[in-house]
Amino acid sequence: MVTVFIAFTSCNNASKSNSKSGALASNIAEKVYVAPGEYDEFYAFLSGGYSGNLTVYGLPSGRMFKEIPVFSQFPTSGYGYSEETKPMLNTSHGFIPWGDSHHPDISQTNGEIDGRFIFINENNTPRIAKIDLKTFETTEIIEVPNSAGNHSSSFVTENTEYVVAGTRFSVPIPQRDMPIKDYKGNFKGALSFISVAPETGDMAIKFQVLMPGFNYDLSHPGRGKSHGWFFFTTYNTEEANTLLEVNASQNDKDFIAAINWKKIEEYVNNGGGTMMPTDYAHNVYDEHTHTATSTMIKEVRVVNPSEVPGAVFFLPTPKSPHGCDVDPSGEYIVGNGKLSANLTVHSFTKMLAAIEGKKFAGEAYGIPILNFEDVLAGVVNQPGLGPLHTEFDDKGNAYTTFFISSEVVKWKLGTWEVIDRKPTYYSVGHLTIPGGNSRKPQGKYMFAMNKITKDRYLPTGPEMEHSAQLYDISGEKMELLLDFPTHGEPHYAAAMRADIIKENSQKIYNLADNKHPYAAKSDGDTKVVRDGSNVHIYMTTIRSHFSPDNIEGIKLGDKVYFHVTNLEQDFDVPHGFAVLGQNTSELLIMPGQTKTSVWEPTKVGVWPFYCTDFCSALHQEMQGYIRVSPANSDTPIKWSMGEDIE
Ligand code: RUQ
Ligand code: CUA
């Protein structure tokens, strides 16, 4: 397959629809050209996969604007290195410097994305993060207990009642020492419903549904008529614990699990479920103290499906389905069966009727299995090989990625006919349409995120960035407009029109609101305070000096805290801070913010510190010295700025 596409790319005037020559090419260039100083029409938020972060792009230009650190330490801003942000990466397993982020999803109101928050999951040590789209900063991370490989996450219901996280791996719940071979029937899969407070956005785990020991791969909320339900694809319904490539591909059909969360919520609100002892971290960043705190929570509410009859059902779906996608009307649930020749679409209306009529094909661990034919809305016949994910436009069309045949296929909801197909370069995973996961997709563009880059860019040694490809979907046929590199592995992306986010974007932190306990709000507030072997330096920075900039009286064995407050109140004037020999990263401090860097000097001497961000014409003058004396010396603590220490 791959060789075919290489042939395509090396031939510039290949197929008509993909022609890049002459007038057409300049026409395409115009479609993605955003003139200097002009803004893009859409924001796109791409997961960083194994970078653990989230990147922000503009569409149609494909320009990257920012990398938002989420689950990984990020020296560029000091996230996860500064004292204030280290608690964000705390977990029940201790401090974890890295994560594997997969699926960003933007908050919604009435089924439309509202641009307030974006959520993203961490796969490896299960967590859900919330990023505030006013500041583009990670402000909350909640660990998900009883979970492993937090993959069918983090998708939000249509009023952001919940952000939902499903486990990929089933595990012993509670975790315990037991033989792996006893997996079947003993391991369980937790599906977690994390409530989001309407005003503040505060997250809390409301309940977990303890499902049979399958793998829960992806999920999406019902919307419109199916609001109140959530759908999860499963694979490994065989419950194999070894050589899954063979053993988990035995069953002709796996399931989509349909969860009536409204029903379970009601049960829980009436005191239903059991509090189970566990251990998970809840980390919250306070915008006023500019500091995160980490709280360990000791129990979680769990619900077994059997406790709430009529709340959980299985829809048979061929074969090892990956994506689980719900159309804008909420009627169609697309199961993307990786190993299936056809694409299966279930009908929500039919599902309800079958449940009503109690027509079941059997049960699994007490959960009713519906008849495949009873819930089937239709089948897209042989659209391609290896379907993974489907998104929707605002005109009743669906777009599915095919990993093996390396293409995006456009088809019609209801008639199931294929309308168009376009190659991707190469091996596409997810695709995104702005607003695609909502009642009101915003159409216009679709972009594919490809797993293999090969010859698309100038080579950069064995390791290449992944490539994304932007298509115009405003016409009947898709048109490839642009390739752009992404960072890490962008599993998925969420995108929306720029206006709302742009309007709300915060420019500075108000210095008067700074409640950081070690903030110095003017040069006059600066000081150096010894507390045993801890030394706290209350430092300010403003163009173009630090205060203080001469410090003496530090001794070997001291732990020195530089609490640096940026006094600037102008947009886009950060200052940086770094001191020689520190073993954390530099800090990048935004106007009005305080950040803290810890330094444990290992050598006697006079050591410089400086601003790491070119902030003014006299940036290079933004520097200072700190004197470190032997442990037994009696050099007094002294500090100054603009005069010598006497
Ligand atoms: S996945 S390439 Cu982690 Cu969303 Cu399907
Ligand atoms: Cu402040 Cu450079």
Side-chain angles (χ1 to χ4, degrees):
M1 266 308 164
V2 166
T3 45
V4 172
F5 296 123
I6 287 169
F8 264 14
T9 53
S10 53
C11 171
N12 249 344
N13 46 9
S15 65
K16 269 180 268 143
S17 59
N18 212 27
S19 174
K20 288 178 186 140
S21 56
L24 258 185
S26 68
N27 186 12
I28 289 174
E30 267 170 35
K31 285 186 176 172
V32 298
Y33 182 68
V34 178
E38 303 274 296
Y39 289 159
D40 278 281
E41 192 181 346
F42 293 90
Y43 276 109
F45 300 90
L46 278 66
S47 93
Y50 39 67
S51 84
N53 294 337
L54 185 71
T55 46
V56 187
Y57 283 74
L59 299 179
S61 73
R63 300 180 293 187
M64 184 179 126
F65 301 141
K66 186 177 182 180
E67 178 168 359
I68 304 173
V70 185
F71 298 111
S72 294
Q73 283 184 301
F74 193 61
T76 309
S77 66
Y79 179 87
Y81 291 99
S82 72
E83 290 304 289
E84 288 80 3
T85 53
K86 274 190 209 163
M88 290 304 281
L89 302 183
N90 192 38
T91 73
S92 63
H93 304 269
F95 178 86
I96 296 190
W98 169 86
D100 182 16
S101 56
H102 279 225
H103 306 116
D105 204 16
I106 300 171
S107 55
Q108 300 193 11
T109 305
N110 294 326
E112 289 182 50
I113 46 180
D114 59 22
R116 293 178 69 204
F117 304 113
I118 184 162
F119 300 90
I120 190 163
N121 58 322
E122 205 276 276
N123 217 29
N124 184 50
T125 303
R127 283 169 283 172
I128 299 289
K130 185 184 77 194
I131 291 116
D132 191 326
L133 289 178
K134 269 195 336 290
T135 56
F136 285 60
E137 295 283 345
T138 306
T139 54
E140 195 174 1
I141 294 183
I142 196 162
E143 193 179 354
V144 187
N146 295 331
S147 241
N150 174 35
H151 193 261
S152 37
S153 321
S154 50
F155 299 105
V156 301
T157 55
E158 72 174 21
N159 289 297
T160 322
E161 295 95 336
Y162 292 99
V163 46
V164 176
T167 194
R168 168 178 161 197
F169 300 101
S170 281
V171 287
I173 296 180
Q175 271 291 5
R176 58 191 177 274
D177 179 20
M178 64 175 282
I180 300 169
K181 69 168 176 45
D182 296 340
Y183 174 144
K184 198 168 189 157
N186 291 312
F187 285 25
K188 288 205 154 44
L191 309 178
S192 306
F193 286 73
I194 298 160
S195 60
V196 180
E199 288 303 312
T200 57
D202 293 349
M203 298 192 289
I205 301 180
K206 177 97 169 178
F207 59 87
Q208 298 189 307
V209 187
L210 298 188
M211 297 286 286
F214 309 152
N215 291 45
Y216 296 84
D217 203 10
L218 277 143
S219 66
H220 265 104
R223 58 179 58 101
K225 62 170 80 164
S226 54
H227 178 57
W229 290 78
F230 222 97
F231 304 95
F232 295 83
T233 41
T234 70
Y235 66 103
N236 192 24
T237 50
E238 297 85 350
E239 294 180 76
N241 54 277
T242 182
L243 197 63
L244 263 63
E245 71 173 303
V246 177
N247 294 330
S249 306
Q250 299 300 308
N251 292 348
D252 183 46
K253 295 192 177 62
D254 295 283
F255 301 124
I256 285 179
I259 313 276
N260 186 334
W261 60 259
K262 276 251 158 109
K263 208 167 194 155
I264 300 177
E265 178 186 63
E266 199 183 297
Y267 173 71
V268 163
N269 283 345
N270 290 322
T274 314
M275 294 311 286
M276 175 188 272
T278 184
D279 218 8
Y280 64 96
H282 184 201
N283 310 332
V284 179
Y285 183 81
D286 181 314
E287 222 180 79
H288 300 288
T289 59
H290 300 282
T291 303
T293 48
S294 178
T295 311
M296 279 295 161
I297 300 178
K298 294 290 176 198
E299 52 179 14
V300 68
R301 187 177 297 275
V302 296
V303 175
N304 283 305
S306 58
E307 294 169 43
V308 196
V312 182
F313 299 91
F314 285 135
L315 285 60
T317 307
K319 275 202 72 147
S320 301
H322 186 57
C324 181
D325 299 296
V326 179
D327 86 306
S329 75
E331 168 64 8
Y332 298 122
I333 304 131
V334 184
N336 306 265
K338 295 192 297 278
L339 307 175
S340 163
N342 303 327
L343 204 60
T344 306
V345 186
H346 297 301
S347 154
F348 177 72
T349 312
K350 285 185 164 184
M351 181 192 92
L352 282 191
I355 292 171
E356 189 90 350
K358 298 208 161 40
K359 278 186 72 190
F360 301 130
E363 46 116 342
Y365 295 101
I367 296 168
I369 303 173
L370 298 162
N371 283 297
F372 178 67
E373 291 75 20
D374 289 349
V375 294
L376 189 69
V379 163
V380 188
N381 273 311
Q382 310 213 327
L385 296 176
L388 290 185
H389 298 282
T390 300
E391 293 257 314
F392 307 90
D393 67 12
D394 49 349
K395 301 188 197 88
N397 301 304
Y399 301 75
T400 302
T401 56
F402 291 85
F403 179 80
I404 300 172
S405 51
S406 236
E407 58 189 337
V408 177
V409 174
K410 175 180 177 181
W411 50 277
K412 187 123 208 106
L413 286 162
T415 69
W416 323 121
E417 58 188 323
V418 169
I419 297 167
D420 188 25
R421 60 177 69 240
K422 283 290 180 302
T424 57
Y425 307 94
Y426 307 90
S427 300
V428 59
H430 275 274
L431 78 172
T432 295
I433 292 173
N437 173 37
S438 78
R439 276 203 236 163
K440 290 245 173 70
Q442 298 170 345
K444 197 154 179 180
Y445 300 112
M446 173 271 291
F447 60 100
M449 286 153 277
N450 306 310
K451 303 295 186 188
I452 295 173
T453 304
K454 297 234 186 203
D455 52 6
R456 298 304 284 181
Y457 309 128
L458 286 174
T460 52
E463 186 188 341
M464 300 280 287
E465 291 287 30
H466 286 217
S467 94
Q469 294 187 290
L470 183 75
Y471 297 78
D472 181 340
I473 56 164
S474 55
E476 174 84 351
K477 303 284 179 192
M478 298 175 275
E479 185 180 25
L480 176 58
L481 302 177
L482 181 74
D483 273 27
F484 60 95
T486 62
H487 190 53
E489 183 186 352
H491 281 258
Y492 185 49
M496 70 178 283
R497 245 183 236 118
D499 25 9
I500 299 176
I501 295 181
K502 187 175 84 197
E503 290 315 310
N504 293 342
S505 189
Q506 191 168 319
K507 301 214 156 44
I508 58 163
Y509 295 98
N510 191 338
L511 186 62
D513 287 347
N514 183 328
K515 304 246 155 43
H516 193 294
Y518 290 96
K521 297 204 191 172
S522 71
D523 283 357
D525 292 345
T526 59
K527 57 187 174 187
V528 180
V529 178
R530 175 177 286 284
D531 171 17
S533 59
N534 292 333
V535 179
H536 292 278
I537 303 173
Y538 297 65
M539 184 180 264
T540 57
T541 138
I542 194 160
R543 281 162 288 179
S544 298
H545 62 264
F546 288 102
S547 175
D549 65 359
N550 280 204
I551 300 162
E552 296 189 354
I554 308 301
K555 294 183 221 170
L556 272 193
D558 282 348
K559 199 168 184 181
V560 182
Y561 293 84
F562 294 93
H563 306 287
V564 189
T565 303
N566 181 351
L567 300 180
E568 307 279 356
Q569 292 287 273
D570 289 336
F571 185 30
D572 203 18
V573 191
H575 293 285
F577 176 85
V579 59
L580 195 156
Q582 73 182 143
N583 48 24
T584 65
S585 77
E586 54 95 47
L587 302 174
L588 192 70
I589 310 136
M590 294 301 131
Q593 208 176 27
T594 305
K595 283 188 180 175
T596 302
S597 186
V598 168
W599 181 53
E600 295 180 72
T602 57
K603 291 177 184 170
V604 164
V606 176
W607 307 104
F609 53 86
Y610 68 99
C611 173
T612 49
D613 183 272
F614 205 108
C615 50
S616 64
L618 297 173
H619 155 79
Q620 233 21 24
E621 281 71 14
M622 245 186 120
Q623 62 181 53
Y625 287 107
I626 185 162
R627 173 178 168 192
V628 178
S629 305
N632 55 4
S633 74
D634 48 18
T635 317
I637 288 274
K638 284 202 170 156
W639 66 93
S640 70
M641 192 261 298
E643 58 196 34
D644 286 337
I645 291 177
E646 293 304 332

